[in-house]
Amino acid sequence: MKKALTLCALLAFAVRASGQTPSTYTDHPNGDSSLIPTVQNKLPNTLLGVVIESWHYDRGQKTLTLHLANHSDKTVTAFNISFAEKYADGSTNPWYAEGIPHNLQDSQRMEDELNLFIQSQDERRSGHGIAASGPVVNGQIQMPGPPTSVFAAGTTRDYVMMRGEEKDVADIEAVVDVVAYSDGTADVQNDRAFRNLMAERKGPLLAMQKVVEVIKGVLTDPMVGRPLAEVLRALNPLADAAQTKNRPPEDPEFYQATTLRDELKNLETIQQQKVPNEREWLTRYSEQQEKRIALMKPHCELAATK
């Protein structure tokens, strides 16, 4: 049944990519309703490694679930979904006037799992494994929350979105238009979403590099008696200056400022805990950050294909 469903979904998506929109329906795994294929008449010419095979709206839970499949031979570290919803009362989101169609990319959801992927690499190095499948349990819809495993090649995942609106969803259009992979490549058919993803990754990387730079500078001076206080003193104006600048979301410095503030709070907490040897602690901390920077950097410089 599973193989037949996958083949059916693949054939349906191939036809939709050519501009046709067939109607095919399959039973939902929990047996109480139907999975409905996504209406993707606005699909790009070629399908990406991750596709939406079907969707399900739960009126009681007010959740919209997209059933995703990773048909690539690589682990996925991020994906972007552009979608539009039609409600039972006939209204839509994004809204469009008669004769003026909406842009599907006006409503998007980005899921970046780079931190989870890096965690999985760390755990493999330390001898502790991590599951390599989606967060679906026995085919049941899972409530929204962070995924518990990387999106490995050949696996499926139920992507659940909580609905804030009171309106019931009657139909949707949806497409995965950005997929980032663990090998440093990315399929891109939505430039804006891809720029935002790169900014969200590069910003924290820049902030971590700046923190390490400041810590190393403080540690090179043997006359500094309270290195944590000196690090905080040096970082505060940098964080304040970054915070006051107005930047668009696709600018990495937009996210650098937030990360710098978070790093300051973490270091202030450590200072309040009065660690016995601040120099030793800062040395270990900067070493850990440098390892993380090395792991993150290739994923902040993705080679995009279109």
Side-chain angles (χ1 to χ4, degrees), residues 195-196 198-204 206-207 239 241-262:
R195 289 196 304 270
N196 288 345
M198 288 295 89
E200 289 183 28
R201 289 185 173 185
K202 289 179 181 178
L206 292 171
Q243 199 81 1
T244 58
K245 296 178 181 178
N246 292 323
R247 299 184 184 277
E250 61 267 21
D251 189 334
E253 291 192 20
F254 179 89
Y255 300 95
Q256 180 185 13
T258 302
T259 306
L260 278 174
R261 297 305 307 177
D262 289 341

Side-chain angles (χ1 to χ4, degrees), residues 26-272:
T26 54
D27 292 337
H28 190 270
N30 65 16
D32 64 4
S33 58
S34 293
L35 280 172
I36 306 174
T38 52
V39 179
Q40 298 203 26
N41 56 345
K42 297 183 180 180
L43 272 173
N45 293 328
T46 56
L47 296 173
L48 305 191
V50 174
V51 296
I52 306 168
E53 292 188 333
S54 54
W55 65 273
H56 168 72
Y57 176 68
D58 189 311
R59 289 182 176 85
Q61 297 292 332
K62 293 291 183 182
T63 56
L64 178 64
T65 301
L66 305 180
H67 187 66
L68 309 179
N70 180 2
H71 292 303
S72 76
D73 58 357
K74 297 178 279 191
T75 297
V76 170
T77 62
F79 56 86
N80 187 77
I81 299 172
S82 294
F83 64 97
E85 300 170 326
K86 183 176 181 179
Y87 304 120
D89 64 1
S91 61
T92 62
N93 181 30
W95 177 86
Y96 65 94
E98 186 174 352
I100 305 176
H102 62 74
N103 181 353
L104 193 63
Q105 294 179 349
D106 286 343
S107 183
Q108 303 179 35
R109 287 288 185 96
M110 174 68 75
E111 187 73 20
D112 189 1
E113 299 175 1
L114 180 58
N115 287 336
L116 185 62
F117 175 72
I118 290 176
Q119 176 188 337
S120 73
Q121 302 305 296
D122 288 339
E123 291 184 359
R124 285 196 183 96
R125 289 189 184 91
S126 63
H128 301 290
I130 186 168
S133 60
V136 183
V137 179
N138 298 324
Q140 298 298 312
I141 296 176
Q142 301 302 293
M143 294 308 292
T148 58
S149 58
V150 292
F151 199 175
T155 63
T156 61
R157 169 171 298 185
D158 277 356
Y159 185 67
V160 187
M161 296 184 288
M162 289 296 295
R163 305 282 300 115
E165 292 86 351
E166 292 298 323
K167 299 179 179 180
D168 287 329
V169 176
D171 198 5
I172 69 167
E173 295 177 68
V175 62
V176 178
D177 49 21
V178 174
V179 182
Y181 300 102
S182 58
D183 64 352
T185 61
D187 293 332
V188 179
Q189 289 169 339
N190 183 338
D191 290 329
R192 183 179 64 179
F194 181 67
R195 289 196 304 270
N196 288 345
L197 172 64
M198 288 295 89
E200 289 183 28
R201 289 185 173 185
K202 289 179 181 178
L205 180 70
L206 292 171
M208 291 164 62
Q209 289 173 330
K210 179 58 67 177
V211 170
V212 170
E213 177 186 332
V214 168
I215 290 175
K216 285 189 169 184
V218 170
L219 293 178
T220 56
D221 186 352
M223 302 303 294
V224 176
R226 299 174 58 200
L228 259 174
E230 185 62 22
V231 168
L232 291 171
R233 186 196 65 78
L235 284 177
N236 262 303
L238 296 176
D240 289 341
Q243 199 81 1
T244 58
K245 296 178 181 178
N246 292 323
R247 299 184 184 277
E250 61 267 21
D251 189 334
E253 291 192 20
F254 179 89
Y255 300 95
Q256 180 185 13
T258 302
T259 306
L260 278 174
R261 297 305 307 177
D262 289 341
E263 286 292 316
L264 273 172
K265 290 178 182 177
N266 292 337
L267 292 173
E268 286 169 352
T269 300
I270 296 299
Q271 185 185 41
Q272 292 167 4

